[in-house]
Amino acid sequence: MTSHDRPTTDAHADTDPSAGPSPASPDPGTEGAADGRQVTEAALFEAFGGVRGMVETVVPGLLFVTIFTINKDLHLSAIAALAVSLVLGVLRLIRRDTVKHAFSGVFGVAFGVVFAMMTGNAKDFYLPGMLYTLGLALAYMITTLAGVPLIGLILGPVFKENLSWRTRNPGRKKAYAKASWAWGLILFAKCAILFPLYWWADTTQLGWVLIALKIPPFLLAVYLTWVFLAKAPAPIDVFAEMEAKEKAEERRRAERETLDRVADDLGRDLVQEAAAEPQSDRPQGGRHRR
């Protein structure tokens, strides 16, 4: 994904009519579309951890397969991978980054280490992650068939639209469905490559192929998601709507309180005027002289 340059004009350009027609001003619609693409790009990086998240995903597995390729020591490879994963997680916490990104990698590596230690098979270090990828691929496809695309559930809060796209923004729901299908099919294709290798290849071959398939499928899925959402209608900011409703309710409440105070003041004034009216000015009633 690349940034889109906006057309700019020189504020001090010569306005001599003989110089020919002046360049057209930027189209507001074009600027709005560019802003929408940039917002989508920023939201995707936030949701999926950005470049740092990709690096943290690759480093533990890369360290494991490198050490195991050199000395075939399962325990040393597993401990090194877990240690570097913990260090990366602690660094995220120190920098006060998202806790989700800090712990997701640690738990993934820890499951792999425990699995490999229990079975004594170094290939099992990769098995939990492979099963997770397969489950995630199925989740993307099943939720899309159910009318609730998983990518929409993930990105809805990031775009501050929550689930408004389901009923109020059909164009955006369609884009989320396309993106979820892309994620599901890409991850499923990745599993179709890795699981046969798990059975037929050795640990080193499986490890290096898995490392090679870490980033490219992910980038392809993120890019397709960006393409689909950049062309989709803008998200409905339900948080802004809630704030507007709260402010409107506060204004109505303030107006009612003001009207109540004015009515109370008028009532007190009328009572005070009636009480202060002279006795002679009051109409005579009661008995009549015969």
Side-chain angles (χ1 to χ4, degrees):
M1 292 176 287
T2 58
S3 61
H4 294 258
D5 297 330
R6 300 181 186 176
T8 57
T9 57
D10 188 357
H12 302 286
D14 188 3
T15 57
D16 186 359
S18 62
S22 60
S25 59
D27 184 4
T30 304
E31 288 192 0
D35 290 339
R37 288 191 291 268
Q38 291 173 357
V39 169
T40 300
E41 183 175 332
L44 288 174
F45 269 89
E46 177 183 347
F48 297 111
V51 176
R52 184 173 181 180
M54 290 187 289
V55 172
E56 292 174 350
T57 301
V58 172
V59 168
L62 179 60
L63 186 60
F64 178 90
V65 70
T66 300
I67 295 176
F68 191 84
T69 300
I70 295 172
N71 58 19
K72 306 298 181 183
D73 189 333
L74 170 59
H75 291 80
L76 179 60
S77 302
I79 293 173
L82 183 58
V84 73
S85 180
L86 287 171
V87 169
L88 293 173
V90 170
L91 288 177
R92 272 196 178 271
L93 292 178
I94 293 174
R95 293 169 59 90
R96 298 183 179 179
D97 289 340
T98 307
V99 176
K100 174 185 68 175
H101 298 313
F103 287 106
S104 59
V106 175
F107 287 142
V109 174
F111 276 118
V113 169
V114 171
F115 218 69
M117 292 292 188
M118 289 176 60
T119 63
N121 186 356
K123 283 196 293 186
D124 288 339
F125 173 79
Y126 304 109
L127 187 57
M130 293 166 57
L131 293 174
Y132 173 78
T133 301
L134 178 59
L136 194 58
L138 294 175
Y140 276 117
M141 293 187 282
I142 292 172
T143 55
T144 304
L145 290 174
V148 192
L150 181 58
I151 198 69
L153 299 178
I154 295 172
L155 295 180
V158 178
F159 284 110
K160 300 180 181 180
E161 60 181 336
N162 283 350
L163 296 179
S164 62
W165 50 268
R166 289 195 62 198
T167 55
R168 301 172 57 190
N169 205 337
R172 197 157 182 87
K173 180 180 179 180
K174 184 177 180 180
Y176 280 139
K178 291 180 180 179
S180 291
W181 276 118
W183 277 91
L185 294 174
I186 289 171
L187 294 179
F188 194 78
K190 179 179 176 179
C191 291
I193 297 173
L194 292 178
F195 275 96
L197 290 176
Y198 174 80
W199 295 108
W200 300 328
D202 59 29
T203 303
T204 301
Q205 292 171 336
L206 174 62
W208 287 112
V209 172
L210 196 146
I211 293 299
L213 291 178
K214 277 284 187 181
I215 300 300
F218 174 81
L219 290 180
L220 177 60
V222 171
Y223 173 73
L224 291 176
T225 302
W226 177 77
V227 169
F228 295 140
L229 293 182
K231 297 179 181 179
I236 299 172
D237 192 339
V238 295
F239 295 112
E241 290 182 344
M242 292 172 60
E243 288 183 7
K245 287 181 180 179
E246 290 177 357
K247 290 180 180 179
E249 183 61 31
E250 289 178 0
R251 285 196 297 269
R252 286 193 292 268
R253 189 182 304 113
E255 291 173 357
R256 286 195 298 268
E257 292 175 354
T258 301
L259 291 175
D260 291 341
R261 285 197 299 269
V262 170
D264 291 341
D265 292 341
L266 289 175
R268 284 194 297 269
D269 291 343
L270 291 175
V271 170
Q272 291 174 358
E273 290 178 1
E277 186 177 357
Q279 188 71 23
S280 60
D281 293 340
R282 297 180 182 179
Q284 299 292 327
R287 295 179 301 168
H288 298 275
R289 292 181 182 180
R290 295 179 181 179

